[in-house]
């Protein structure tokens, strides 16, 4: 395993203009490029453009020219995200490095749910609760860990709405990093335990996620945070690329076919924008047929800044103070909000929100119809799908994929008040008969 250490990049956050030669540590990635002004920088632990402060993202020289060969190479790869290593900012031998090896989760054809929702086309649930720490966050963290190794960081950190903290804790344990992660102090018990059990440090902060995130930005600039890789801050360009694997998997699992419509939850909006990037790459590489697809974003009403901006026809997102049971999505000031608006509008999709009550109903609907127990974020996407169909914005005759990004065991409190035993009886047949279940 040859992981190159880029010593100079770890101490100097200053960006320098890009040289174009690829480095083996980052596979097909050649540079960081500014999403606003297009300025390019060398691959390093930086996340904002020095010219315009715009967010940086990974630029590639992708292996075009032999789609059949690339498809065969992917299909021969491991049953996890590393099968897509030729399209990710990771070394070619990445599958040999210590990782939780997330991904290749089930794409479930949800015929029972389709019937309930009046869907006559294909309806699929991409069920990312099957990842190692039971949320989609294992994907993004796996890529960030590779970058952290390359840059010589020794501590992994993050600001988290819950799932990310657990994913970082677990990945750090597996890959031999120290970890110290930050969460709002009032998260669900299941998420707090999952963030702490892997043995790293967990710090609760008295404030919202947006306060936690601001704190982490300060820590990066302070000697106390030196040598720390914050997966969703200074490693954010690498982290984001992990979400592309959802696009790749969905298309491969559909038989190398684009879905017509995808419903994606929005917290910061990173996942939604990178799924769009992944779909565009598959078209560019000739791995799927080039035809239109629509991207729909889903939020909870109690934290719906992107949905509100979409409906008002605004290009900018006005921050909100979150108040919803969908805590994993409770980011009031989403970094990628404007890009999400652009993608939803450009593809002919929409951004919609549902109430907490509708979230709970949708969790139960998915459980009852398909045997999938989603966390609140999955209730948001299923609830929004139902609403979009009712409002005529999502075409029930087409192929639709709905994301479930987390496991219901993480948010038991959301359903516990309205879910429980049908009866509690004495251990006698008489008592059972009296309960009225037969
Ligand atoms: C983090 C998260 C998301 C999406 O987050 P983005 O910041 O929008 O990428 C979706 N679902 C769950 C369960 C999450 O934890
Ligand atoms: Zn710029």
């Amino acid at each position: 395993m040859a992981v190159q250490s880029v010593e100079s990049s770890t101490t100097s956050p200053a960006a320098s203009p890009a040289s174009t030669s690829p480095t083996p540590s980052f596979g097909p990635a050649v540079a960081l490029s500014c999403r606003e002004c297009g300025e390019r920088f060398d691959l390093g632990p930086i996340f904002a453009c020095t010219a315009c402060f715009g967010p940086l993202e990974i630029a590639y020289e992708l292996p075009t020219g032999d789609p059949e060969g690339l498809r065969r190479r992917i299909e021969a790869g491991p049953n996890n995200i590393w099968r897509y290593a030729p399209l990710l900012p990771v070394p070619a031998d990445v599958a040999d490095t210590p990782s939780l090896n997330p991904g290749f989760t089930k794409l479930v054809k949800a015929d029972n749910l389709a019937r309930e929702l009046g869907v006559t086309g294909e309806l699929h649930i991409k069920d990312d609760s099957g990842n190692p720490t039971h949320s989609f966050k294992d994907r993004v963290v796996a890529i960030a860990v590779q970058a952290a190794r390359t840059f010589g960081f020794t501590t992994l950190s993050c600001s988290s709405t819950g799932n990310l903290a657990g994913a970082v804790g677990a990945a750090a344990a597996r890959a031999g990093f120290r970890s110290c992660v930050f969460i709002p102090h009032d998260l669900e018990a299941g998420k707090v335990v999952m963030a702490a059990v892997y043995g790293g440090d967990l710090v609760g902060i008295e404030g919202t996620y947006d306060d936690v995130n601001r704190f982490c930005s300060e820590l990066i600039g302070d000697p106390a945070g030196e040598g720390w890789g914050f997966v969703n801050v200074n490693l954010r360009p690498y982290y984001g690329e992990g979400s592309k694997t959802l696009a790749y998997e969905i298309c491969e699992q559909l038989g190398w076919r684009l879905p017509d419509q995808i419903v994606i939850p929005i917290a910061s909006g990173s996942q939604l924008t990178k799924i769009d990037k992944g779909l565009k790459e598959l078209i560019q590489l000739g791995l799927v047929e080039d035809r239109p697809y629509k991207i729909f974003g889903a939020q909870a009403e109690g934290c719906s800044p992107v949905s509100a901006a979409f409906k008002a026809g605004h290009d900018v997102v006005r921050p909100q103070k979150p108040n919803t049971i969908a805590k994993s999505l409770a980011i009031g000031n989403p970094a990628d909000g404007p890009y999400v608006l652009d993608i939803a509008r450009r593809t002919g999709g929409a951004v919609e929100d549902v109430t907490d009550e509708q979230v709970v109903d949708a969790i139960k609907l998915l459980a009852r119809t398909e045997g999938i127990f989603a966390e609140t974020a999955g209730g948001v996407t299923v609830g929004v799908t139902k609403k979009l169909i009712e409002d005529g914005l999502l075409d029930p005759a087409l192929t639709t994929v709905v994301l479930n990004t987390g496991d219901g065991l993480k948010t038991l409190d959301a359903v516990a008040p309205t879910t429980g035993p049908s009866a509690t009886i004495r251990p006698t047949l008489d008592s059972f008969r009296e309960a009225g279940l037969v």
Side-chain angles (χ1 to χ4, degrees), residues 75-225:
E75 288 174 350
N79 281 332
N80 55 54
I81 60 169
W82 305 132
R83 69 202 277 111
Y84 306 107
L87 312 179
L88 295 170
V90 295
D93 67 352
V94 64
D96 301 330
T97 65
S99 162
L100 294 171
N101 299 328
F104 227 69
T105 55
K106 287 177 197 159
L107 184 72
V108 179
K109 188 144 181 294
D111 292 342
N112 300 328
L113 179 63
R115 221 169 294 123
E116 290 256 351
L117 296 181
V119 171
T120 53
E122 284 176 40
L123 180 64
H124 300 265
I125 302 289
K126 179 59 173 168
D127 188 10
D128 248 13
S129 66
N131 274 314
T133 69
H134 307 275
S135 88
F136 110 96
K137 288 295 196 301
D138 293 315
R139 298 177 183 274
V140 283
V141 169
I143 311 286
V145 166
Q146 291 298 323
R149 299 166 74 88
T150 303
F151 298 135
F153 291 128
T154 49
T155 297
L156 287 182
S157 186
C158 66
S159 56
S160 172
T161 56
N163 286 322
L164 185 57
V168 167
R174 171 92 181 124
F177 288 81
R178 182 193 168 218
S179 70
C180 182
V181 298
F182 300 91
I183 56 172
H185 69 109
D186 60 350
L187 288 185
E188 302 97 330
K191 294 212 176 125
V192 174
V193 170
M194 273 205 71
V197 75
Y198 301 104
D201 288 311
L202 170 70
V203 179
I205 289 188
E206 293 166 2
T208 65
Y209 171 81
D210 298 285
D211 296 318
V212 178
N213 201 39
R214 209 164 24 246
F215 168 81
C216 286
S217 299
E218 273 181 48
L219 186 49
I220 284 174
D222 190 272

Side-chain angles (χ1 to χ4, degrees), residues 33-41 48-56:
S33 109
C34 175
R35 258 148 99 182
E36 289 299 320
C37 76
E39 179 79 19
R40 286 194 160 210
F41 304 92
C49 175
T50 49
C52 78
F53 302 107
L56 301 181

